[in-house]
Amino acid sequence: MHEYSLAVALMETIDDIIKNQDKKIKKIKKIKLKIGYLRQVVPEILTLCFNEVSKNTVAEGANIEYEEIPLIIECKDCQKTYQGIKETTFICPYCKSTNTHVIKGEELEIDYLEVEIDE
Amino acid sequence: MSKIKVSQNLLKINISHAEKIKNVLKKHNIKMINLIGSPGAGKTSLIEEALRSNLLKTSIGVIEGDIATTKDADRIKRFNVPVVQINTKSLCHLEAILVEKAIKQLPLEKLDLIIIENVGNLVCPVEFDLGEDFKVAVCSVAEGDDKPLKYPALFHKAKVIVLTKVDLIPHTNFDIKSFKEDIKRLNPKAKIIETSTATKEGIDKWVEFLNNIPTLKDEV
């Protein structure tokens, strides 16, 4: 269960972003995250942990929205791409090459924040 | 309401510590591997066997990660090798900030290779970059042959997979063919080393692998 660590990291990263804004941020209303298929994250648990970590901060009560990014693998030999969800294989189904790499599905990213600015 | 586009990794701060570690290691020309496996897989025993072997030609420092006790570091200390024990208390994995502090306690000018033994766990340690050159998965026969498919993230990411306790295969239903096929599917280029500290089978291959890490480029 490393979601608590991820929640702390999310809070630290948000603090860092807020510090570097020109305008003063009053409240964070929404946090949009992109989570790749290969990342081991349970959204419900991360949200629970973040609710604890963000108490008494500008992010308290923020809604976290998750977008799951599917796994897309590219074969470097035949240049074809394929989706690797049910039967994840890194052997190219078209040419059997093992020279493949992940092009999507490893994201663990803060996409954007929706905030209220102190006017 | 206004929108701030971020597009940053959630683990940005861990990554920045990992980058600092990489710079320190590069400066001292040291390679580092991150051993990840279940509690009892035989991670500490593998390190001990390497230190015991007269084939070992590389100078090793060890960072031990455990929830509690200095039991693992005490085992390594008997070989007169520099070792730092990190106790994570409740944390189920190591993070770069902890390793960054630990590295400062090692005599870097004397080392070719640092072996990190992560907290015993097949899931969480995979998510945290420690600035290592690559991850090594350690899995024992006693855990069963189904572990690669059940923990795909680790077996996909590790460049090397060490199967331990192979002397137990005749006494179990462990199907080594299926174990290897599953790894091939998840990680076709992974190197598999089969070992037993009881019979010493494969220990020479493990030591040879450690000897060659300092000269390895990015690919294994």
Side-chain angles (χ1 to χ4, degrees), chain B residues 150-179:
Chain B
K150 289 180 83 173
Y151 299 90
L154 172 61
F155 289 90
H156 166 64
K157 280 213 163 164
K159 286 210 174 182
V160 176
I161 290 141
V162 185
L163 178 64
T164 59
K165 312 185 190 182
V166 292
D167 55 297
L168 295 180
I169 291 177
H171 312 288
T172 66
N173 60 359
F174 190 93
D175 182 346
I176 194 158
K177 193 166 159 264
S178 132
F179 180 79

Side-chain angles (χ1 to χ4, degrees), chain B residues 13-19 21 94-102 128-131:
Chain B
I13 291 168
N14 188 70
I15 292 168
S16 72
H17 287 292
E19 289 300 327
I21 294 170
L94 292 175
E95 295 195 16
I97 191 167
L98 301 173
V99 174
E100 197 185 344
K101 280 185 198 157
F128 298 84
D129 182 6
L130 304 178

Side-chain angles (χ1 to χ4, degrees), chain A residues 16 39 90 110-111 113 115, chain B residues 2 5 8 12 127 185:
Chain A
D16 196 49
R39 303 308 294 234
F90 290 85
I110 307 172
D111 186 10
L113 304 175
V115 300
Chain B
S2 52
K5 185 73 183 163
Q8 280 181 15
K12 191 176 101 167
E127 298 296 328
R185 214 173 94 187

